[in-house]
Amino acid sequence: MKNILSLLFLFYLTNVSSQIIDMHTHSYTEEDYWGGNTHPTGVESPKSVEEHLEQTIKLMDKHGIEYAVVSGWSLEGVEKYVAADSRFIPGYMDEGNPIPVEQFEDLVKSGKIKVFGEVSGVYFGKTLNDPMYAPYLEICEKYNIPVAYHSGGAPPMAPFTCCPDFRISIGDPLLIEDVLVKYPKLRIYLMHAGEVYFEQAVRMMSMYKSLYVDLGAILWVDPLIKDYAIRFLKLAQTAGVLDRVMFGSDQMVWPGAITRSIDFINNLDFLSNEEKQMILYGNAKQFLNLK
């Protein structure tokens, strides 16, 4: 019996990451929280923002999440989550209409914005290459602030439910190539690893050695999108760019997506334990310049 327990413990150590950084979480206030409904995959959503925050922190504790980049529909929501737990790294979601440049720079200098993102211009018919973003990118490059850019698709029927200017084609990572050329010192990561454009994401990563991705929603939202994740990871493995692939849960209003996402990665038999640990922790630690 003792030998069996020892083997089980060894299996746990070699198959589950003990340290994780989540590059893609979200915050809310009472005014903008839209949860309460179970996701089609069966992941439940808390009824209130307080429950969402509490459950998110509990799952961070459970899974050994050392840090989590958080952005939301308001700066107040981000501040709320950061105040509740110092492991949250404050991001800024622009919602297609960024705050004034001067205010953005002040918040960067004060440490209240440490990541520019989720940059969600795609939902509003814009790419990161839009001139609107230029002064913000200049500030990010100046202060060495990472940029988290939404790539790929959106929830079903998005043009009819929330975002009339959204088009899947705008989420193609190739459309931001000029940004990578114009701002060579800028630290950018593609949220959702390009999603349907996963091949383009890998090609961009092979060309531009500073470009990272997070996996985000492709780890859990539905079978089609999860297939993109598998194909992306295999292609990234072949291309030798797995060292720039980072974990992100994109839990939105479903904290349980954190567990689903971690389990998905740990159950992929074509990834070595070392590669899983890189994705879940090591790559993000390097990208964020954490000691």
Side-chain angles (χ1 to χ4, degrees):
M1 183 65 178
K2 183 177 180 180
N3 289 338
I4 293 175
L5 291 174
S6 297
L7 287 172
L8 288 173
F9 183 67
L10 179 61
F11 178 84
Y12 176 82
L13 288 179
T14 56
N15 286 276
V16 179
S17 173
S18 58
Q19 291 176 296
I20 295 174
I21 295 173
D22 191 335
M23 295 295 293
H24 194 158
T25 68
H26 289 294
S27 63
Y28 303 93
T29 64
E30 292 182 4
E31 289 73 27
D32 58 36
Y33 184 67
W34 51 278
N37 295 313
T38 302
H39 191 270
T41 59
V43 183
E44 295 184 359
S45 176
K47 299 298 183 184
S48 71
V49 66
E50 297 299 337
E51 291 177 11
H52 180 272
L53 176 56
E54 180 182 350
Q55 289 185 26
T56 299
I57 291 173
K58 283 184 177 179
L59 288 171
M60 290 170 67
D61 293 338
K62 175 182 177 180
H63 294 294
I65 295 178
E66 190 171 299
Y67 294 103
V69 176
V70 62
S71 65
W73 278 255
S74 69
L75 290 167
E76 291 76 18
V78 173
E79 290 176 357
K80 176 184 180 71
Y81 280 55
V82 171
D85 196 304
S86 61
R87 290 174 293 177
F88 285 115
I89 296 174
Y92 168 62
M93 181 185 288
D94 68 292
E95 281 294 282
N97 184 27
I99 57 176
V101 174
E102 296 78 11
Q103 182 184 2
F104 179 80
E105 184 168 15
D106 287 343
L107 290 169
V108 166
K109 290 193 291 186
S110 69
K112 291 185 177 181
I113 292 177
K114 294 185 178 180
V115 174
F116 180 29
E118 179 168 357
V119 178
S120 54
V122 172
Y123 284 97
F124 304 93
K126 302 178 185 297
T127 73
L128 194 61
N129 201 38
D130 191 283
M132 174 184 74
Y133 287 120
Y136 301 90
L137 298 180
E138 290 170 5
I139 291 170
C140 290
E141 188 175 52
K142 176 181 178 181
Y143 294 100
N144 198 24
I145 298 296
V147 177
Y149 176 67
H150 178 101
S151 64
M157 304 300 285
F160 304 102
T161 58
C162 70
C163 315
D165 293 324
F166 174 82
R167 300 293 185 272
I168 294 175
S169 58
I170 301 176
D172 187 341
L174 295 180
L175 298 179
I176 71 163
E177 186 173 14
D178 285 349
V179 171
L180 297 173
V181 173
K182 185 176 181 180
Y183 306 98
K185 297 180 181 178
L186 195 61
R187 288 188 289 152
I188 300 178
Y189 66 101
L190 300 172
M191 291 178 150
H192 313 295
E195 202 236 28
V196 64
Y197 299 109
F198 65 90
E199 292 177 318
Q200 286 88 326
V202 172
R203 186 65 185 94
M204 289 277 281
M205 293 172 75
S206 67
M207 172 66 76
Y208 300 99
K209 303 302 183 181
S210 62
L211 182 63
Y212 280 64
V213 303
D214 86 38
L215 295 167
I218 65 174
L219 296 174
W220 66 275
V221 291
D222 74 31
L224 172 65
I225 309 302
K226 287 162 69 175
D227 182 61
Y228 295 152
I230 292 171
R231 293 159 67 189
F232 167 79
L233 288 166
K234 287 183 176 180
L235 189 59
Q237 190 179 54
T238 299
V241 297
L242 276 180
D243 61 345
R244 282 178 277 133
V245 177
M246 304 183 292
F247 172 72
S249 65
D250 192 15
Q251 34 80 307
M252 292 178 275
V253 295
W254 298 280
I258 295 172
T259 300
R260 290 278 185 101
S261 301
I262 294 169
D263 288 347
F264 183 85
I265 291 175
N266 278 321
N267 287 329
L268 294 174
D269 57 10
F270 62 86
L271 293 176
S272 69
N273 291 322
E274 181 182 1
E275 288 170 333
K276 292 173 185 177
Q277 182 62 19
M278 284 166 48
I279 292 168
L280 288 164
Y281 182 73
N283 296 341
K285 183 177 182 180
Q286 177 176 321
F287 178 80
L288 293 171
N289 294 328
L290 299 173
K291 296 181 179 179

